[in-house]
Amino acid sequence: MGERIFASYWLETGDDPQRAAEVIAGEQSSGTFVALPTETPELKRRSGARVERLEVIERVNTPSLPGGMQSDVYTRCALQISWPVENLGPSLPNLMSTIAGNLFELRQVSGLRITDVQLPPSFAEAYPGPAFGIQGTRELAGVSCGPLIGTIIKPSVGLSVEETAQQVRELVAGGIDFIKDDELQADGGYCPFDERVSAVMRVVNEEAGRSGRKAMVAFNLTGDLDQMKRRHDHVLAQGGTCVMVCLNSVGIVGLQAFRQHSQLPIHAHRAGWGYLSRSPHLGWDYAPWQKIWRLAGADHLHVNGLRNKFSESDESVIAAAKAVLAPAMAHKPMPAMPVFSSGQTGLQAEDTYRALGTADLIHTAGGGIFGHPTGVSAGVEALREAWIAAMKHIPLTQHAVTSRPLSQALEFWR
Amino acid sequence: MGERIFASYWLETGDDPQRAAEVIAGEQSSGTFVALPTETPELKRRSGARVERLEVIERVNTPSLPGGMQSDVYTRCALQISWPVENLGPSLPNLMSTIAGNLFELRQVSGLRITDVQLPPSFAEAYPGPAFGIQGTRELAGVSCGPLIGTIIKPSVGLSVEETAQQVRELVAGGIDFIKDDELQADGGYCPFDERVSAVMRVVNEEAGRSGRKAMVAFNLTGDLDQMKRRHDHVLAQGGTCVMVCLNSVGIVGLQAFRQHSQLPIHAHRAGWGYLSRSPHLGWDYAPWQKIWRLAGADHLHVNGLRNKFSESDESVIAAAKAVLAPAMAHKPMPAMPVFSSGQTGLQAEDTYRALGTADLIHTAGGGIFGHPTGVSAGVEALREAWIAAMKHIPLTQHAVTSRPLSQALEFWR
């Protein structure tokens, strides 16, 4: 009783900002477009959403999004709204309808982006969050400090089962910590999931028998729920230690139901994130989005990478990673591991470490490892040494004096 | 074997359009940012996505979305890409990662909107689509022709169980065909789901005993999968004939898994649609989006309404409704029922009917029914008569001569 949910927004409106904020709070709780006699003051006090904060940022002359009300001036604001949990119960799907439902379609809105969400303790009781998180992942991967050095099987799709296993053979012989399927690799006829997993795990288990340390492979088991469960069981039976799920492709209920079944860390891919975030005037910031998925069970969350090949700024990448590392709730942190990828080499280690202050992350590189002139093993070692330098605050060129693989890597990393 | 998936896009790019199209096709299949020796011509032929069509629409000087490559000119195109089903298997979640994954984040993209998807027969084998659709809904609701005349319980949230049942009592006594929960009404402490369903169905069943026709009530059971299944069983046990799910709140896997369990029509709400569609330069058109959900099992799909209170244009509303009514696949139409709402009265009946050429739809009105001076019964009859006029091509004012409820309604509908 008395618990509230708080969501923050960047709002642009052609209306009076206070009125627009009240319309949003109304539409998302007890109000509607026409005044109703049954919406009594008592009902409104009990169930109405509340405008907690409204700060004008700036005014502009043209609306960012079409379809809203016409005006000479559009006001941009920081808005915070709160809801009684009592309205919906501690439910992530119903949280979505409440904080990110119809409001984006309102005529009062010419720009709306959700920037934060704060959830009360009842949500932590309903959703246990990541089953493995940082600590559990480190234990399974046998990496007690520093980042997990990882890579992605490439080409994304099109390799046969045997070609995939051959690529994994090179990687595990080279001492890699982490390998993942591309998000496009699923259960196609040319490279069926079960056969791929069996062939890859045979290679991984053999190498683990030799080295005493088992590389973690995130197999993309994205699919319908019964398929995901069955595939998970196959991965587990073959001795696998991780599975991958594309979050936007399955949805919150899919992840939550899978989390209840899973005995392995869930590597969460954000494919489709662009359509949720690419307009600065619409959609989602990463902070609230990743929090919902963490509660639903994501152990690792993709955050792109510094100086990536996509369109995201470094500032946005670091903000995303910090959000993943920040406590989900004060009394229940539910830590997850950020995953850096896209155009990554050891050159990004220093800046990444400096920005985050931790190496509790997975750093995946493709060309940065495979491109090493003396092979995959040296590529993995070079990336690991670059992180040692970063964590010891030693300039990369200075540390390279002590590591031949690193000094060679500095020739082709750029 | 040999089946392909086709997706169409509106693309804006600062790059040469042909090159941008190839980058998109590559990123979403066997390509990556660097050329790989393992991406052989044979692999590319087998697994590569193919640019099927690229037509320049216009050129502009400023990019619609930030973060992409800088250029003096940005070219807008109609693009169609195809993929071998073999890459992923007939899987809706993996379809999402393929047609709507990383591509939105590419630097070559300064605008990208998915406008259509065409799926091969194997998808129809994997996903049976709506279990009830138009015909099944009509049978359960006892409405053989014309639209289902419906309404939404208001205030959206905050009524007690008894107040909700009282509102339903008035509506069913008034002869309404269809009632739905608001998408914010879930399983809160003040109006718990089970009690609400029991109380409402007691009223509905009583009236059905008198009239011989049972009003269809769509109870919003959006929640985690086990909750949705349990709530469904309760609705079924109480004699209910419909359930409602908020699609974006549960996700595709959630809906598909629930569809396998459900014995009732699934009324699909699109809360959150705004963040997927409100920018004309990003995200989703309704046509491809609704098709995916129909395959996953949606029987009714919300399409807003003509002259609605939100920001969507009439043109967009009609395009959405036509998409819902169009065959999902030539050999397997999987018809679903469009749901019109928001600021609706009998005044929109004629235009809606003329635009669609069918009354296979649900038309919900709030104020348009409750506002009737002689009560709910007259409000329902007025809306029904407005549709009879529309379907017989009789001007509303002329038809009103034969219907006192309609002539009274014309005084307050506006």
Side-chain angles (χ1 to χ4, degrees):
Chain A
M1 286 297 289
E3 281 191 338
R4 293 186 83 83
I5 295 156
F6 294 82
S8 300
Y9 303 89
W10 176 92
L11 165 69
E12 183 191 281
T13 179
D15 202 351
D16 167 67
Q18 187 64 43
R19 188 162 52 221
E22 296 293 347
V23 167
I24 292 172
E27 169 68 21
Q28 294 309 116
S29 62
S30 61
T32 184
F33 295 107
V34 285
L36 295 174
T38 41
E39 192 192 2
T40 61
E42 197 251 325
L43 182 148
K44 217 171 160 176
R45 202 162 38 242
R46 189 179 60 239
S47 307
R50 210 188 277 158
V51 176
E52 299 281 353
R53 197 164 62 87
L54 181 69
E55 285 165 25
V56 172
I57 299 168
E58 61 179 337
R59 293 186 175 85
V60 295
N61 294 320
T62 50
S64 295
L65 301 172
M69 54 193 291
Q70 296 300 306
S71 177
D72 293 330
V73 62
Y74 297 84
T75 310
R76 296 173 169 181
C77 324
L79 168 67
Q80 190 185 48
I81 294 179
S82 77
W83 290 261
V85 171
E86 178 94 331
N87 279 21
L88 56 148
S91 160
L92 290 180
N94 291 298
L95 176 76
M96 288 289 286
S97 309
T98 301
I99 67 169
N102 279 350
L103 62 171
F104 293 90
E105 295 187 59
L106 288 169
R107 283 171 51 76
Q108 283 77 8
V109 164
S110 64
L112 189 66
R113 198 169 164 93
I114 178 163
T115 56
D116 189 36
V117 63
Q118 298 294 335
L119 299 171
S122 59
F123 273 83
E125 281 158 41
Y127 299 96
F132 293 84
I134 295 167
Q135 199 47 42
T137 296
R138 287 197 175 284
E139 283 164 20
L140 278 173
V143 180
S144 57
C145 70
L148 270 62
I149 301 297
T151 196
I152 305 171
I153 303 283
K154 293 279 177 187
S156 308
V157 66
L159 293 179
S160 67
V161 164
E162 269 320 306
E163 287 165 335
T164 307
Q166 178 53 36
Q167 195 168 121
V168 170
R169 185 172 289 120
E170 273 187 71
L171 288 161
V172 293
I176 201 133
D177 301 322
F178 180 88
I179 303 171
K180 66 177 279 289
D181 278 340
D182 189 90
E183 77 277 6
L184 299 171
Q185 186 59 266
D187 192 20
Y190 194 71
C191 191
F193 185 87
D194 284 0
E195 292 175 38
R196 183 168 82 251
V197 170
S198 298
V200 165
M201 285 313 300
R202 202 173 305 126
V203 168
V204 169
N205 290 331
E206 276 170 21
E207 181 61 33
R210 273 191 291 274
S211 72
R213 198 170 63 86
K214 187 186 278 191
M216 176 175 275
V217 183
F219 294 103
N220 179 29
L221 51 62
T222 300
D224 297 335
L225 183 59
D226 49 357
Q227 295 170 336
M228 292 201 290
K229 288 181 177 176
R230 200 192 46 67
R231 289 174 193 159
H232 163 276
D233 295 350
H234 182 65
V235 172
L236 193 64
Q238 301 301 309
T241 54
C242 190
V243 293
M244 169 168 140
V245 175
C246 294
L247 301 181
N248 291 314
S249 304
V250 305
I252 289 168
V253 164
L255 186 70
Q256 192 273 343
F258 177 69
R259 158 74 171 82
Q260 289 187 317
H261 177 85
S262 182
Q263 299 176 46
L264 296 169
I266 299 171
H267 184 85
H269 198 280
R270 67 180 201 178
W273 171 242
Y275 67 68
L276 297 173
S277 65
R278 184 75 192 274
S279 164
H281 309 118
L282 182 68
W284 290 77
D285 271 4
Y286 202 67
W289 189 83
Q290 60 83 35
K291 189 182 282 184
I292 292 169
W293 293 105
R294 263 159 76 191
L295 261 79
D299 291 283
H300 312 153
L301 276 146
H302 277 246
V303 298
N304 212 337
L306 290 181
R307 305 191 280 287
N308 63 77
K309 306 270 186 171
F310 289 104
S311 51
E312 190 175 5
S313 71
D314 287 352
E315 188 189 1
S316 170
V317 169
I318 292 301
K322 283 185 173 170
V324 172
L325 289 162
M329 302 187 191
H331 76 295
K332 189 133 192 241
M334 302 188 183
M337 217 159 185
V339 183
F340 289 79
S341 62
S342 182
Q344 298 297 291
T345 70
L347 297 182
Q348 286 99 330
E350 185 186 351
D351 290 345
T352 304
Y353 184 69
R354 189 165 40 207
L356 298 183
T358 177
D360 285 337
L361 56 90
I362 300 173
H363 199 186
T364 68
I369 287 175
F370 281 101
H372 200 285
T374 65
V376 167
S377 174
V380 169
E381 193 179 334
L383 185 50
R384 196 171 279 136
E385 288 296 329
W387 270 94
I388 289 170
M391 293 162 69
K392 290 185 171 174
H393 306 288
I394 303 169
L396 208 50
T397 44
Q398 183 183 326
H399 190 67
V401 176
T402 69
S403 164
R404 188 159 166 72
L406 179 57
S407 68
Q408 288 169 323
L410 293 180
E411 307 275 313
F412 80 98
W413 285 347
R414 63 195 81 245
Chain B
M1 289 295 291
E3 281 191 339
R4 294 186 82 82
I5 295 157
F6 294 81
S8 300
Y9 303 89
W10 176 90
L11 165 69
E12 183 189 283
T13 179
D15 202 352
D16 167 67
Q18 186 65 42
R19 189 163 49 222
E22 296 292 347
V23 167
I24 292 172
E27 170 67 21
Q28 293 308 116
S29 62
S30 61
T32 184
F33 295 107
V34 284
L36 294 175
T38 42
E39 193 193 0
T40 61
E42 196 250 325
L43 182 149
K44 216 170 160 177
R45 201 162 39 242
R46 188 181 60 240
S47 305
R50 209 188 277 157
V51 177
E52 298 281 353
R53 196 162 63 86
L54 181 70
E55 285 165 25
V56 172
I57 300 167
E58 61 180 336
R59 293 187 176 82
V60 295
N61 294 321
T62 49
S64 295
L65 302 173
M69 54 193 290
Q70 296 301 306
S71 176
D72 294 330
V73 61
Y74 297 84
T75 311
R76 296 175 167 179
C77 326
L79 168 66
Q80 189 185 50
I81 294 179
S82 77
W83 289 262
V85 171
E86 178 93 332
N87 278 22
L88 56 148
S91 161
L92 290 180
N94 291 298
L95 177 75
M96 289 289 283
S97 309
T98 300
I99 67 170
N102 279 350
L103 62 172
F104 293 89
E105 294 186 60
L106 288 169
R107 284 172 51 76
Q108 282 78 9
V109 164
S110 65
L112 188 67
R113 198 168 163 94
I114 179 163
T115 56
D116 189 36
V117 63
Q118 298 295 333
L119 299 171
S122 59
F123 273 82
E125 282 159 42
Y127 299 96
F132 293 83
I134 294 167
Q135 199 47 43
T137 296
R138 287 196 175 284
E139 283 164 20
L140 278 174
V143 179
S144 57
C145 69
L148 270 62
I149 301 297
T151 196
I152 304 170
I153 304 283
K154 294 279 176 184
S156 308
V157 67
L159 293 179
S160 68
V161 164
E162 269 321 306
E163 288 163 337
T164 307
Q166 179 52 35
Q167 194 168 122
V168 169
R169 186 173 289 120
E170 274 188 70
L171 287 162
V172 294
I176 200 134
D177 303 321
F178 180 88
I179 303 171
K180 65 178 279 288
D181 279 338
D182 189 90
E183 78 278 7
L184 299 170
Q185 185 59 266
D187 191 20
Y190 193 74
C191 192
F193 185 88
D194 285 0
E195 292 175 37
R196 182 168 81 252
V197 170
S198 298
V200 166
M201 286 312 301
R202 202 174 305 125
V203 168
V204 169
N205 290 330
E206 275 168 25
E207 180 61 33
R210 274 192 290 275
S211 72
R213 199 169 62 86
K214 187 185 281 192
M216 177 175 275
V217 183
F219 294 103
N220 179 29
L221 51 62
T222 300
D224 297 333
L225 183 60
D226 49 357
Q227 294 171 336
M228 293 201 290
K229 288 181 178 176
R230 201 193 45 68
R231 289 175 193 158
H232 163 276
D233 295 350
H234 183 66
V235 173
L236 193 66
Q238 301 302 308
T241 53
C242 191
V243 293
M244 169 167 139
V245 176
C246 294
L247 301 181
N248 292 314
S249 304
V250 305
I252 289 168
V253 164
L255 185 70
Q256 191 273 343
F258 176 70
R259 159 73 172 81
Q260 289 187 317
H261 178 86
S262 181
Q263 299 176 47
L264 296 169
I266 299 171
H267 185 85
H269 198 283
R270 67 180 199 178
W273 171 241
Y275 66 69
L276 296 173
S277 65
R278 185 77 192 274
S279 164
H281 309 120
L282 182 68
W284 290 78
D285 271 4
Y286 201 67
W289 189 84
Q290 61 82 34
K291 188 182 283 184
I292 291 168
W293 293 105
R294 263 160 76 191
L295 261 79
D299 291 283
H300 313 154
L301 276 146
H302 276 246
V303 297
N304 212 339
L306 290 182
R307 305 191 281 285
N308 62 77
K309 306 269 186 171
F310 289 103
S311 52
E312 190 175 5
S313 70
D314 287 353
E315 187 189 2
S316 170
V317 169
I318 292 302
K322 283 186 173 171
V324 172
L325 289 163
M329 302 186 192
H331 76 296
K332 188 130 194 246
M334 302 187 184
M337 217 158 185
V339 183
F340 290 79
S341 62
S342 180
Q344 298 297 291
T345 70
L347 297 182
Q348 286 99 329
E350 184 185 352
D351 290 344
T352 304
Y353 184 69
R354 190 166 36 207
L356 297 184
T358 178
D360 285 337
L361 56 90
I362 301 174
H363 200 186
T364 68
I369 286 175
F370 282 100
H372 200 285
T374 64
V376 167
S377 175
V380 169
E381 193 179 333
L383 186 50
R384 197 171 278 137
E385 288 296 329
W387 270 94
I388 289 170
M391 291 161 69
K392 290 182 170 175
H393 305 288
I394 302 169
L396 209 52
T397 45
Q398 183 182 324
H399 190 68
V401 176
T402 69
S403 164
R404 188 160 166 72
L406 179 56
S407 68
Q408 289 169 322
L410 292 180
E411 307 276 315
F412 80 98
W413 287 346
R414 63 195 79 245

